[in-house]
Amino acid sequence: MISKRFACLLLSLVLAIALDAWAREPQKSPPPKPVIISQVIRARDLGIPFEGIPGRFNAVTDVPGVEVGYTTLISGQGKLEVGKGPVRTGVTAILPRGRASLNDPVYAGFFSLNGNGEMTGTAWVEESGFLEGPIIITNTHSVGVARDAVIAWRIKHGAADKTGYWWSLPVVGETWDGWLNDINGFHVKAEDVWHALDSAHGDALKEGSLGGGTGMVCYEFKGGNGTASRRIDIRVSKDASPRSFVVGVFLQANFGRRPELTIAGVPVGREIPGEVYKQESGSCIAVVATDAPLLPNQLKRLARRVSLGLARTGTTSGNGSGDLFIAFSTANPNAANPDQVTHDVQTIPNDLMDPLLAGVVQATEEAVVNALIDNHSITGRDNHRVDALPHNRMRQLLKKYNRLR
């Protein structure tokens, strides 16, 4: 009997030590909560009216070939100890053509609404008109390690370019998560970037506080990742059969002051007062994807329209905000291949682009609201807490202003 009790006690002690050690390690995803069953609730589920028709997933992955992967790092609590935590950060990877992104660049365009931020590799995007390889989004102080990790990943999984040279100028964007995260602890490692790349998929996406968006704050509510898409029909005349395309937006939302927040024209931020910090210190990285055949200059036009979608939610893009947007098209495969002197490429005339431009604005607006809705409150370093946007209160406000769908 004594030995049996001793064995049970020893087993309990070992289990407690193991659980404590697990809790202290950065997690690839938020710790499981077996008792609480979380339900994915997005903006449309709450009756928020949006323009346009979304794709199957209402996500950037509605664009054929596009894949997205996350690594989420969450560990520690309480007082900040630089190098130890608390950790609330991560990595997001976007592959324009899935694994084929390694050796088949896509046409792309870049736009900076406000340049207090970083997106590496965009000088070559602007010069060449091509995006070569994946896009990574992380926190401000992890840009360097993420860039180097992408190069190592491409060397492992890819090959030299068609001219025989090994070289890479990865695109890595960032926003600042230092309010919740031990940002100076450099917790993002190369293997975290590789995990995000290797786990990328083209299915429905989780949003909110995971991946690069884990520690982000938007309109002084909990922010992070948001995505949306629009199905686009383009006709040359009313009687002509349409050509159908998809445009998708993915963004890391980390911007805005509470009083600015506007949802479906309703001044939600003014109706739900609150303050996280004294001045805006955030940013927004946005990625626009489409299967419509567009040239680099046309894709820059799409990237610019992210600005209008953000403005619909209330932001004025403050001095401290790094609002950097990149757009790419998965059409025209092998257009960068130097195995022939000329290539035949397709493109949509500028005069027929209006539905695509409108689709970017609509999807951007919805992606921001999705980032706020499909989320939860988080407490980070020094017990800084950022609350999620309360669903019931927001629905009450939409009803008050006759905007509930």
Side-chain angles (χ1 to χ4, degrees):
M1 178 69 72
I2 295 175
S3 61
K4 187 174 181 180
R5 288 179 178 175
F6 178 78
C8 291
L9 179 62
L10 182 61
L11 180 61
S12 298
L13 180 61
V14 170
L15 180 60
I17 294 172
L19 286 172
D20 180 69
W22 176 85
R24 293 172 184 271
E25 288 298 316
Q27 302 300 311
K28 300 304 181 187
S29 60
K33 299 178 181 179
V35 179
I36 301 173
I37 301 175
S38 61
Q39 180 181 2
V40 174
I41 298 178
R42 306 183 74 193
R44 286 176 180 258
D45 299 326
L46 297 182
I48 301 174
F50 293 105
E51 297 175 294
I53 301 173
R56 175 188 175 192
F57 300 127
N58 195 14
V60 72
T61 46
D62 285 319
V63 179
V66 175
E67 296 182 354
V68 177
Y70 298 127
T71 298
T72 301
L73 303 175
I74 297 177
S75 68
Q77 57 185 345
K79 182 176 175 57
L80 172 65
E81 293 185 62
V82 176
K84 294 184 178 180
V87 180
R88 305 286 188 272
T89 194
V91 180
T92 300
I94 300 175
L95 287 76
R97 299 192 195 277
R99 296 302 181 275
S101 304
L102 291 171
N103 301 307
D104 190 3
V106 290
Y107 279 137
F110 167 77
F111 177 70
S112 170
L113 175 62
N114 196 68
N116 197 341
E118 182 63 271
M119 185 180 283
T120 68
T122 52
W124 182 236
V125 172
E126 287 280 83
E127 182 75 17
S128 68
F130 285 103
L131 167 64
E132 304 181 17
I135 299 169
I136 300 295
I137 316 175
T138 186
N139 75 67
T140 306
H141 290 182
S142 296
V143 171
V145 66
R147 177 192 177 278
D148 293 347
V150 172
I151 295 175
W153 185 81
R154 292 190 68 180
I155 291 172
K156 181 179 180 180
H157 293 275
D161 67 18
K162 298 294 184 179
T163 62
Y165 287 98
W166 285 97
W167 72 282
S168 183
L169 294 171
V171 172
V172 180
E174 55 76 30
T175 62
W176 186 82
D177 60 11
W179 184 255
L180 293 172
N181 176 50
D182 173 22
I183 193 170
N184 291 333
F186 305 110
H187 296 280
V188 173
K189 308 300 182 184
E191 54 265 31
D192 300 318
V193 180
W194 300 335
H195 178 270
L197 288 162
D198 291 334
S199 64
H201 61 86
D203 300 321
L205 295 177
K206 296 180 180 179
E207 297 167 294
S209 299
L210 71 170
T214 301
M216 302 306 165
V217 181
C218 184
Y219 291 115
E220 297 180 90
F221 289 110
K222 188 62 192 72
N225 303 327
T227 188
S229 69
R230 290 296 182 271
R231 288 161 41 194
I232 306 296
D233 289 338
I234 298 180
R235 294 177 170 84
V236 295
S237 66
K238 290 183 178 180
D239 299 328
S241 299
R243 286 280 304 275
S244 297
F245 305 100
V246 178
V247 61
V249 174
F250 181 99
L251 49 79
Q252 186 164 292
N254 189 55
F255 61 90
R257 302 306 307 277
R258 177 72 64 87
E260 295 175 330
L261 176 59
T262 303
I263 295 178
V266 175
V268 173
R270 292 203 300 271
E271 294 273 10
I272 311 177
E275 184 178 82
V276 172
Y277 33 57
K278 297 300 180 182
Q279 64 181 30
E280 181 178 349
S281 54
S283 303
C284 182
I285 298 295
V287 178
V288 180
T290 185
D291 58 353
L294 300 176
L295 299 176
N297 63 303
Q298 296 174 309
L299 289 161
K300 179 187 279 288
R301 298 183 70 193
L302 259 60
R304 285 196 186 103
R305 266 54 183 193
V306 171
S307 310
L308 300 178
L310 296 182
R312 285 186 172 192
T313 67
T315 184
T316 56
S317 186
N319 174 72
S321 195
D323 302 319
L324 308 175
F325 318 137
I326 189 167
F328 64 81
S329 167
T330 58
N332 293 310
N334 299 311
N337 196 333
D339 62 353
Q340 59 193 71
V341 176
T342 62
H343 285 275
D344 294 328
V345 298
Q346 290 188 328
T347 186
I348 293 175
N350 288 326
D351 288 344
L352 298 179
M353 282 186 61
D354 280 351
L356 289 166
L357 301 176
V360 173
V361 177
Q362 295 166 6
T364 299
E365 177 188 18
E366 186 169 358
V368 172
V369 182
N370 277 335
L372 292 165
I373 296 295
D374 190 5
N375 219 320
H376 56 276
S377 302
I378 281 188
T379 300
R381 52 158 285 198
D382 295 323
N383 294 315
H384 290 169
R385 178 180 172 85
V386 180
D387 291 321
L389 177 65
H391 294 178
N392 290 339
R393 177 67 177 130
M394 192 207 62
R395 281 178 55 86
Q396 291 171 358
L397 291 172
L398 264 65
K399 186 175 182 179
K400 171 184 174 181
Y401 285 84
N402 296 316
R403 293 293 291 151
L404 195 62
R405 179 165 51 84

